[in-house]
Amino acid sequence: AAVIGVKNVVENPDKVLRDNAITTLNLIEFAKNLKSLKKILFSSTSEIYAGTLKHFGIDIPTNEKVKLTLDDVNSPRTTYMLSKMYGESIMFNYGNKHNIPFTIVRYHNVYGPRMGYLHVIPEMLVKISKHKIVEVASPEHTRSMCFIDDAVEMTIRACENKITNKEILNIGNQDQEISIINLTKTIARLLKKNIDIKTLP
C-alpha cells in the first residue's frame, strides 16, 4: 500500500515520504519474526524508471535490471519514485540479512473497475462526460495500459512461483501502446461523445 496519484503526491510529498517508508519498514520488521512466512509481495511501480528514461533513455520493453536514476530530488513528484526505490532496497537488504522471502513487482499503468479517479483513464472519462472541450496534456506521450484482471493473474503467479523469490518483475502490457490523444479519442468514441480537444504541454 502507498500514497498514490499524481495530484495526491504533488500536494502531499511529505506524507508520501513518511507513510510509504514507515508502512514498509513496519511490515518488514514484523516479517522478521514470522517463521511460517511464505513470501512478501512488494508493490512497486513503472515510475521507478522515469529518471533513467529522462536522462539516459531506456529500451522498451524494459529489462528489470536497468540501472535506476533519480530525477530532481527537489520535486514533489519525485517523492513517489523515491519511496518505491527505498521500499525495494528495504526488501533486498532486510530480505537478504534476515532470510525473508519476497518478490518485487513493478506495475505499469493498471486500469479497470474500482480504480478510483486519480489516473488517466478515469480522469478522461469524467472530463469527456462533463465537457465539450477537453484539455489533453502531453498528447503525444504514450502509455501501455494493463487490464486489472491480467495484472491480478500475473501477481498471483509471481507470488506462488518459487523461482520469483528475490526477483523484480515488470507487470504490464507491452503490446498495446497508445498516445494520450488517441486514448482520449477512444474514450470519447466509446462514450459516443463529440468533443473538441485542446492540447496542452
Side-chain angles (χ1 to χ4, degrees):
V3 178
I4 63 164
V6 174
K7 185 173 186 288
N8 204 9
V9 167
V10 170
E11 290 177 359
N12 302 288
D14 53 336
K15 188 175 181 186
V16 174
L17 290 169
R18 184 191 68 227
D19 292 1
N20 294 5
I22 289 172
T23 53
T24 305
L25 285 167
N26 285 344
L27 172 69
I28 204 82
E29 286 287 350
F30 181 71
K32 281 171 22 181
N33 302 312
L34 296 176
K35 302 299 179 210
S36 61
L37 177 67
K38 290 183 180 178
K39 186 181 284 185
I40 293 175
L41 180 104
F42 182 74
S43 172
S44 192
T45 175
S46 60
E47 185 93 6
I48 212 161
Y49 298 118
T52 307
L53 176 63
K54 179 178 178 182
H55 296 291
F56 302 104
I58 51 176
D59 292 333
I60 297 173
T62 304
N63 188 301
E64 291 89 344
K65 297 192 185 321
V66 71
K67 299 299 180 195
L68 302 178
T69 305
L70 269 180
D71 200 6
D72 179 9
V73 293
N74 189 42
S75 166
R77 174 95 189 243
T78 303
T79 59
Y80 181 67
M81 172 202 309
L82 183 58
S83 76
K84 290 301 185 176
M85 284 183 181
Y86 184 62
E88 289 189 14
S89 183
I90 289 170
M91 288 296 129
F92 276 106
N93 287 286
Y94 272 78
N96 290 334
K97 183 170 182 180
H98 301 286
N99 200 27
I100 300 168
F102 68 89
T103 299
I104 296 168
V105 293
R106 294 174 178 164
Y107 292 106
H108 292 247
N109 299 299
V110 176
Y111 75 98
R114 302 199 315 267
M115 72 181 294
Y117 293 94
L118 296 176
H119 304 279
V120 65
I121 291 177
E123 279 184 358
M124 275 304 161
L125 281 164
V126 171
K127 280 184 187 179
I128 292 167
S129 296
K130 292 183 174 181
H131 305 287
K132 170 83 173 113
I133 299 172
V134 177
E135 293 183 341
V136 178
S138 305
E140 300 307 320
H141 283 197
T142 60
R143 297 290 181 272
S144 232
M145 304 295 172
C146 179
F147 189 61
I148 183 65
D149 291 1
D150 299 321
V152 168
E153 180 184 345
M154 296 313 296
T155 301
I156 292 168
R157 289 187 191 186
C159 286
E160 292 179 343
N161 198 318
K162 288 184 172 54
I163 66 169
T164 63
N165 189 38
K166 298 184 180 176
E167 292 290 331
I168 299 171
L169 305 170
N170 288 325
I171 292 185
N173 168 15
Q174 68 194 39
D175 297 325
Q176 294 178 314
E177 195 169 353
I178 188 170
S179 67
I180 300 301
I181 195 162
N182 285 337
L183 178 66
T184 304
K185 291 174 182 176
T186 299
I187 293 169
R189 189 175 70 251
L190 291 170
L191 292 176
K192 298 185 168 82
K193 297 275 283 186
N194 290 317
I195 59 167
D196 294 319
I197 294 175
K198 179 183 177 184
T199 60
L200 302 175

